[in-house]
Amino acid sequence: MPYRDRVRAELELSGLRRSFGSVVALDDLSFSVPSGQVVGFLGPNGAGKTTAMRAIFGLTDLDGGTVRWRGQSIGAEDRRRFGYMPEERGLYPSMAVGEQIEYLGRLHGLSGSQAADSVRTWLERLDIGDRAASKVESLSHGNQQRVQLAAALVHDPEVLILDEPLAGLDPSGIDAIGEVLVERARAGCCVLFSSHQLDLVEDLCEAVTIIDHGRLVATGTVDELASSGPRRLAVRVEGDRDGAWASTIRGASVSQVQGGEVRLVLESTTDSDTVLAAARSAGRVTEFVFDRRRLSEVFREATTS
Amino acid sequence: MRAIPYAIFAALVVFAISRRLRRRRNQEQAGPPTRQYYLSSLLGHTGLVAQREVRERLRGRFFRVITLVLLAVVAAAIVIPTLHSSSKSSQTVGVVGTASPALRREVDRLARNESLSVRVVTVADLETARLQLSSGRLDLVINGTTSILVNKPIPATDTSAGAQLARSLAATLGVQQTFRAAGLSTTQIAQITQAKALPIRSVQPGSNRSTAQSTSLIGVVLVFVMLTQYLTWTLMGVMEEKASRVVEVLLAAVKPIDLLGGKLLGIGLVALFQAGLVVAFALILAKAVGSDLLHGTAPLVVVATLIWLVLGYAFYSWVYAAAGSLTERQDQVQSLALPLSVPIIFGYIISLTAAGSGNASVLVKVLAFLPPTAPFAIPTWVALGGIAWWELVFSAAISVISTFGVARVAAAIYRRAVLRTGGRVRLRSLLAS
């Protein structure tokens, strides 16, 4: 059973269309986000990811289509229970961290004491508990990013929509934020985040949705997408860094050459022995294995086809 | 001496405010406490946004500096004329030699005409009189039938009660002296000098016009300074929220109209608070120093100024907020601020000229019904007299209705423009999208 039919879709985007003049940002885009999973939202620059995320929050006028939450057309009250981290970070630069997150918590419907408690909890959790009284502008980029995430989490949202939450972070920052995303998903939250760091997405996400030119081009669990498609071989020839030997093989195309490892996509009629013979003619073969698709390959193949 | 209780009161207020600010600073150093959002229980999200705005604005140094400058300007406008005219409500008049009962009665009568209480004392000789005038114990001295002595020359422009008393004493005693020399009896002289003047009746109604005019001049300048200041806050505030991108986070939780409405309400409350503070300060100070700035129809001018300051802010703030949402840089703001301020400057100059000339021209009357210029034209027209109550109501109604219309358009522009980044947004492109 395909992924989209198997999971319980809580947040559904259906037939979204949006144009800015002659530029089509969303072209009948439909996908859904289940609860309990971290879903990666991928696409090349200008694919329409940010417009789609904004559409969830009603921040852009749609030319057509609907966003539904738990089967109902989404409303302002539903959105107030969502958490959002926009692509371009936004906080009041000269306002104290704690006060600012508390204010945002209040806007999302928390009482004064609930907001204050939640601020303390999240700042501690994200290792910036000692910066509550600091102005946002005095914080490092990484810590500002943590504050931004705390602002999205302060009201314990049912849905987390994060646009490039990992951009510009050091490994410890990526670990801290990644851990929180997985934890929220395990707690029953819908988590959708966009990123260009495909290795990280592969590590963090159960599922991915890929769009291009405002259209859905692939969706499914990481495992499904990785094991689907034509067979591929990873071959390494001693002393050969650029894999020139592979370019002439009939019935196989080079998917990627990285650090001397050549990844080949085989047509269904192509015999792997043909590839092995070609590799041997170039030198001593040190690696020859059938492999799954990497997410970067899924992405590239989906967005260039 | 009468100013002492007011000075003590003002000192207590300043002390209480500074103590509160110090305590708050200490609290902030200790860590952020839970913020109380009183307005939110009344107005929901709009109240929350408004309250944050009020707190941030009041906390800013700019607010404190501009308030102090305004208070200093108002204090100067009230105190300097009274210093210049050496106005006092009681006078001590010295008489060299003996003061006859007739002379005392005459001095009393003339003082009453000027609404002054007067104390007549005798002075042994001219030298003592001069000394007591120099030391301020005497305000003027009647030197027999030869002259009236004062400490400093009285300029022709001095219209204070003390100056008027000196002039009328000099004139009356001089006339009496002439009548005596002409051989009239004391009774005849008294009859002539106490003759009642014919009443002067004006065709147009109105009283104490010059005082109301001065008040309106100060009022028009205050409206201009405060409108300019608060509208700049609105413009910059919206622009900064767009530039810092915080607006996207806010709009994910709050409707655009609530966010914008809260922001404008917050800045408006700060404006009203500042205006109230300035007016209260002006009233207390005017009373303390015996200024005549608030006599006659002047209180009506003050009330009209405050009401149209609020109406003017309400109207313009939406326009400025919409303009702010089109920009995200200081230079873009400046290129928009100039054309927006043209009607403000126009209304200000026309009204100021009219208030100075004492004539409510047809242009002022027309401008009084146009929402962009009414905040300046109405106080001026009220001060100059001749405005009917229905005209005030009509002008206010036009402002309120226009404000609703402008708010709708501004909110639509704001909603579409505030998330568009990467350069100044053109209105044409908003309509096309």
Side-chain angles (χ1 to χ4, degrees):
Chain A
M1 191 190 297
Y3 164 76
R4 69 165 78 179
D5 299 333
R6 204 172 55 244
V7 293
R8 193 161 64 93
E10 300 238 68
L11 181 67
E12 293 170 276
L13 286 73
S14 167
L16 301 192
R17 282 186 286 108
R18 175 71 169 123
S19 299
F20 297 99
S22 58
V23 179
V24 179
L26 301 178
D27 185 7
D28 199 23
L29 176 68
S30 301
F31 68 93
S32 54
V33 186
S35 58
Q37 291 190 346
V38 180
V39 178
F41 191 33
L42 311 179
N45 289 330
K49 300 188 296 293
T50 297
T51 308
M53 287 179 157
R54 282 182 170 182
I56 295 171
F57 286 91
L59 297 174
T60 187
D61 291 328
L62 288 172
D63 301 327
T66 52
V67 180
R68 297 168 77 80
W69 170 243
R70 292 181 176 159
Q72 303 291 320
S73 196
I74 197 166
E77 277 310 311
D78 298 319
R79 289 182 178 122
R80 214 158 279 144
R81 297 196 305 274
F82 293 5
Y84 182 40
M85 186 169 174
E87 180 188 18
E88 297 194 78
R89 310 293 175 240
L91 293 166
Y92 289 107
S94 56
M95 201 171 168
V97 168
E99 199 179 321
Q100 179 148 203
I101 301 174
E102 189 183 318
Y103 170 64
L104 292 169
R106 297 293 313 268
L107 289 180
H108 279 281
L110 296 186
S111 70
S113 56
Q114 283 172 333
D117 289 344
S118 185
V119 167
R120 268 189 293 275
T121 307
W122 278 112
L123 293 186
E124 290 297 333
R125 174 82 174 75
L126 293 165
D127 293 332
I128 42 173
D130 56 336
R131 306 308 299 270
S134 305
K135 286 183 177 177
V136 170
E137 62 195 357
S138 69
L139 267 52
S140 67
H141 172 78
N143 280 345
Q144 285 191 24
Q145 196 104 317
R146 289 171 197 236
V147 175
Q148 194 83 53
L149 184 66
L153 290 163
V154 63
H155 53 295
D156 195 14
E158 294 171 341
V159 175
L160 260 180
I161 307 290
L162 312 167
D163 204 350
E164 299 278 358
L166 307 173
L169 285 177
D170 63 14
S172 71
I174 290 172
D175 288 347
I177 291 184
E179 211 173 282
V180 170
L181 300 189
V182 172
E183 181 200 286
R184 296 315 304 153
R186 298 293 171 270
C189 203
C190 286
V191 180
L192 178 76
F193 82 94
S194 70
S195 178
H196 289 295
Q197 293 153 284
L198 300 180
D199 295 342
L200 293 171
V201 174
E202 199 162 4
D203 288 345
L204 282 174
C205 299
E206 280 90 1
V208 291
T209 291
I210 305 174
I211 68 169
D212 191 19
H213 294 103
R215 287 189 297 270
L216 180 74
V217 290
T219 187
T221 64
V222 173
D223 282 341
E224 276 172 358
L225 291 171
S227 54
S228 65
R231 294 169 302 151
R232 59 201 60 219
L233 272 170
V235 185
R236 196 183 290 270
V237 174
E238 194 175 45
D240 185 288
R241 302 292 294 172
D242 54 10
W245 61 268
S247 59
T248 54
I249 303 172
R250 277 208 184 152
S253 58
V254 177
S255 159
Q256 196 175 18
V257 180
Q258 196 173 29
E261 184 193 70
V262 181
R263 295 177 65 82
L264 289 155
V265 180
L266 306 188
E267 288 174 10
S268 56
T269 54
T270 308
D271 188 351
S272 58
D273 287 347
T274 316
V275 179
L276 184 59
R280 276 187 173 151
S281 66
R284 194 167 77 89
V285 177
T286 57
E287 182 185 336
F288 189 85
V289 288
F290 282 99
D291 202 2
R292 289 162 26 122
R293 282 203 293 178
R294 287 179 181 159
L295 191 56
S296 56
E297 289 171 310
V298 174
F299 177 82
R300 205 174 312 113
E301 286 160 22
T303 55
T304 52
S305 59
Chain B
M1 291 298 280
R2 289 178 57 195
I4 289 174
Y6 297 104
I8 293 172
F9 175 72
L12 285 174
V13 170
V14 170
F15 177 70
I17 291 172
S18 65
R19 224 180 101 179
R20 198 174 149 74
L21 286 174
R22 207 167 38 240
R23 200 184 305 156
R24 188 185 292 174
R25 238 190 326 267
N26 291 341
Q27 276 175 354
E28 274 168 15
Q29 278 163 5
T34 304
R35 309 277 152 189
Q36 296 299 319
Y37 287 88
Y38 306 103
L39 280 174
S40 65
S41 52
L42 284 174
L43 300 164
H45 285 115
T46 308
L48 273 172
V49 176
Q51 200 156 328
R52 192 204 77 88
E53 203 65 43
V54 169
R55 203 178 49 233
E56 291 298 309
R57 299 290 172 185
L58 291 183
R59 200 184 272 173
R61 188 171 295 162
F62 183 75
F63 173 79
R64 283 179 240 167
V65 170
I66 200 81
T67 306
L68 286 177
V69 169
L70 280 175
L71 292 178
V73 170
V74 167
I78 291 172
V79 173
I80 289 171
T82 61
L83 289 178
H84 186 59
S85 62
S86 65
S87 150
K88 279 165 73 178
S89 56
S90 68
Q91 297 266 306
T92 308
V93 175
V95 178
V96 178
T98 54
S100 68
L103 180 62
R104 283 177 187 271
R105 276 199 301 277
E106 196 59 34
V107 173
D108 267 345
R109 186 179 68 81
L110 293 172
R112 267 200 308 279
N113 287 349
E114 302 299 335
S115 306
L116 282 172
S117 67
V118 73
R119 194 162 65 91
V120 179
V121 295
T122 54
V123 189
D125 52 44
L126 199 56
E127 196 48 42
T128 315
R130 283 204 172 100
L131 285 173
Q132 292 193 358
L133 274 174
S134 307
S135 66
R137 288 174 64 189
L138 293 177
D139 294 300
L140 67 88
V141 168
I142 301 168
N143 182 19
T145 54
T146 55
S147 61
I148 303 288
L149 294 177
V150 290
N151 190 33
K152 285 184 177 167
I154 300 172
T157 52
D158 188 347
T159 56
S160 69
Q164 298 286 28
L165 177 64
R167 285 192 196 106
S168 57
L169 260 178
T172 308
L173 295 180
V175 168
Q176 286 182 358
Q177 174 66 13
T178 311
F179 287 152
R180 247 192 300 279
L184 266 65
S185 70
T186 313
T187 321
Q188 285 171 319
I189 293 170
Q191 266 183 332
I192 294 167
T193 53
Q194 289 175 25
K196 273 176 78 176
L198 289 177
I200 302 170
R201 297 213 167 91
S202 64
V203 180
Q204 298 285 337
S207 63
N208 210 353
R209 182 167 290 182
S210 62
T211 305
Q213 256 173 269
S214 313
T215 309
S216 80
L217 276 173
I218 297 176
V220 166
V221 174
L222 269 183
V223 168
F224 178 73
V225 171
M226 295 184 73
L227 265 188
T228 311
Q229 176 197 340
Y230 289 108
L231 294 174
T232 306
W233 271 11
T234 308
L235 188 68
M236 298 294 290
V238 172
M239 185 275 283
E240 281 164 6
E241 279 183 357
K242 178 175 179 175
S244 71
R245 310 289 191 250
V246 72
V247 70
E248 193 166 351
V249 177
L250 298 171
L251 287 177
V254 188
K255 287 187 210 155
I257 189 77
D258 288 345
L259 180 61
L260 192 55
K263 188 167 196 67
L264 301 186
L265 176 66
I267 295 177
L269 286 175
V270 175
L272 199 61
F273 171 68
Q274 192 180 58
L277 199 69
V278 170
V279 169
F281 174 75
L283 290 173
I284 292 171
L285 192 66
K287 185 124 178 85
V289 301
S291 164
D292 54 1
L293 263 181
L294 294 163
H295 292 165
T297 56
L300 196 61
V301 177
V302 172
V303 173
T305 304
L306 278 178
I307 292 174
W308 264 266
L309 174 65
V310 172
L311 291 175
Y313 170 77
F315 176 83
Y316 273 113
S317 60
W318 292 99
V319 179
Y320 274 69
S325 72
L326 301 174
T327 63
E328 56 180 305
R329 288 204 320 266
Q330 287 275 0
D331 57 320
Q332 295 169 347
V333 164
Q334 277 159 7
S335 68
L336 269 177
L338 188 66
L340 286 178
S341 61
V342 167
I344 295 182
I345 294 170
F346 180 69
Y348 172 65
I349 290 174
I350 298 294
S351 302
L352 212 57
T353 313
S357 70
N359 179 29
S361 61
V362 176
L363 183 58
V364 168
K365 290 176 182 173
V366 171
L367 295 184
F369 293 103
L370 302 178
T373 46
F376 305 102
I378 285 285
T380 308
W381 192 1
V382 170
L384 297 175
I387 189 167
W389 67 267
W390 67 265
E391 287 169 321
L392 286 170
V393 173
F394 187 48
S395 169
I398 292 175
S399 284
V400 171
I401 293 165
S402 312
T403 300
F404 276 107
V406 166
R408 281 192 65 163
V409 176
I413 293 174
Y414 175 83
R415 197 175 64 80
R416 288 176 167 211
V418 79
L419 291 177
R420 287 208 188 180
T421 55
R424 190 179 141 189
V425 182
R426 302 278 163 191
L427 280 176
R428 199 179 301 160
S429 73
L430 280 186
L431 295 172
S433 67

